[in-house]
Amino acid sequence: MLDPKIVRKDFPILDRHVRGGKPLVYLDSAATSQKPSRVIEAVADFYERHNANVHRGVYLLAEEATVLYEEARAKVAGFVGAPDPRALVFTKSCTEAINMVAGGWGRKVLRPGDEIVITEMEHHSNLIPWQMVARDTGAVLVRFPVTDDGFLDIPRAPITERTRLVCVAQMSNVLGTINPVRELSEAAHAAGALLLCDGAQGVPHLETDVAALGCDFFAFSGHKMLGPTGSGGLWARPELLEEMDPFLGGGEMIREVWFERATWNEIPYKFEGGTPAIASSIGLGAAVDYLRDLGMGSVRAHEVGLTRRALEALSAIEGLTIHGPADPERRGGVISFWLDDVHPHDLATILDADGLAIRAGHHCAQPLMRRLGVPATARASFYVYNTLEDVEALAVALQSARERFSSGAWL
Ligand code: C6P
């Protein structure tokens, strides 16, 4: 079992005191996670001892940098269940990974009238790139509805013979819902379509195996799973990567160049034009080592415990509405809520004065906000370093915010 009090010792930032000496209670890991010393040291070690460009030089440092970068690729590929590291493209973010599929596959393959099914709970990263591609190809976006209790409305899944792609988040960044990706992959394949899974919120918290999920494309962020910002990845079936056009043109992604034309490098390098985020990707490899040592089963069990307690404690606060599934086994540790008439931004500001970092806003999911009938929500999200005391601190702070608002003391 994971002991968050021991885990916390690996995260130097969690020793900080903020806003007049209050201990920091970090509850915004869905936006970006904090980084353990092992990741910070891996990045520092790269710059202090091995810094050079990759795949270019023949001198020692260049060889070391290339080995570290490719070792990180193998670790990250293995972490998402991909035995072939060639199928793992390093990107700077989940957003970049999805744009790579939209630009390299969608633009090449989609025709007028082809349908792209997108769930109503997708982050803008898994919607806007498809809007852009649909505008240019004549393909059509089709909404996959969400039920009132925060699940995908599977009986109303709009997957038909016109569907070419289904886009679904492994876990919602607003509702916490864990989606039935395997079931949807099977439905997509039965209709002759492909499935893209946005793993930005899933991989950090759930044991992930792209083969078991049955997906064709899998995009994720490194910075939400203890890795540095500027790290992330795209996994795709190798034959799809072969078929796709490169997204960025430039150095390293080519095999041979003439003045008028060029041929492409082999995968994954075909998609890594220019100097990649070498140190960040190496840091992501260290994050994967750290998570493996904790064990993803323990990570999940810990978060289910925190989520169960948080759902209980927050439900007891009068006037507080929680969005998303009530069962902690069917959701992750991302809890979005609305408190009486208090705007989420005001709530986040009040909590910040107590040292609690939560997020407020539309969470880059405006169609979902419209579905929920709210302009924004407040959101607390947990990770390996959060404790039950953090959850209690959240409940106490929300209760006190509510009392201050209803007594007018805030005005
Ligand atoms: N969600 C949040 O606070 P990037 O920024 O490219 O690494 O990840 C984008 C992204 C894609 N899909 C999902 C499901 C996400 O949650 C995110 C990032 C953050 O919810 C920042 S908006």
Side-chain angles (χ1 to χ4, degrees), residues 66-266:
T66 302
V67 167
L68 287 169
Y69 183 68
E70 292 304 327
E71 278 176 1
R73 188 193 306 280
K75 282 182 204 172
V76 176
F79 192 70
V80 297
D84 181 358
R86 292 180 321 130
L88 194 282
V89 180
F90 276 133
T91 64
K92 78 172 167 61
S93 59
C94 182
T95 303
E96 186 180 56
I98 296 173
N99 276 273
M100 213 171 256
V101 180
W105 176 83
R107 246 172 245 286
K108 184 170 182 186
V109 165
L110 294 172
R111 299 281 171 268
D114 284 349
E115 293 186 354
I116 309 166
V117 170
I118 301 179
T119 87
E120 216 168 11
M121 65 170 84
E122 292 313 296
H123 187 279
H124 295 165
S125 291
N126 207 11
L127 174 65
I128 309 295
W130 300 110
Q131 291 179 352
M132 291 158 72
V133 168
R135 188 191 57 204
D136 293 349
T137 60
V140 179
L141 305 190
V142 180
R143 184 190 302 251
F144 189 153
V146 170
T147 63
D148 289 340
D149 47 0
F151 292 106
L152 287 177
D153 197 344
I154 301 290
R156 290 171 63 211
I159 302 174
T160 69
E161 72 285 352
R162 290 184 301 282
T163 309
R164 296 302 305 271
L165 183 71
V166 176
C167 296
V168 59
Q170 191 181 10
M171 185 203 288
S172 162
N173 69 319
V174 176
L175 304 169
T177 315
I178 298 171
N179 287 317
V181 177
R182 173 83 209 186
E183 196 181 322
L184 294 173
S185 297
E186 283 169 7
H189 295 160
L194 302 181
L195 183 134
L196 182 151
C197 179
D198 170 351
Q201 299 292 345
V203 187
H205 308 281
L206 306 170
E207 177 98 54
T208 297
D209 181 333
V210 288
L213 291 174
C215 53
D216 301 286
F217 303 104
F218 187 83
F220 58 100
S221 311
H223 66 95
K224 297 186 202 291
M225 50 186 282
L226 310 180
T229 50
S231 67
L234 170 68
W235 172 87
R237 285 196 285 111
E239 57 276 25
L240 287 169
L241 289 176
E242 299 284 4
E243 177 195 346
M244 277 165 65
D245 281 335
F247 184 55
L248 284 178
E252 189 56 24
M253 48 74 70
I254 49 80
R255 185 180 312 249
E256 224 178 329
V257 179
W258 294 265
F259 193 76
E260 302 80 5
R261 68 193 169 86
T263 54
W264 309 145
N265 202 343
E266 60 197 35

Side-chain angles (χ1 to χ4, degrees), residues 1 45 53 74 93 99-100 104 130 134 175 217 261 290 295 315 338 342 348 350 352 362 382 387:
M1 193 61 189
D45 178 66
N53 214 326
S93 59
N99 276 273
M100 213 171 256
W130 300 110
L175 304 169
F217 303 104
R261 68 193 169 86
Y290 186 88
S315 314
W338 179 273
V342 190
I350 299 179
D352 174 52
H362 54 62
F382 312 124
T387 59

Side-chain angles (χ1 to χ4, degrees), residues 15 20 28 37 60 149 151 213 229-230 263 298-299 307 311 381 410:
D15 290 337
D28 197 19
S37 301
L60 181 73
D149 47 0
F151 292 106
L213 291 174
T229 50
T263 54
S298 303
V299 169
T307 307
L311 291 172
S381 52
W410 167 251

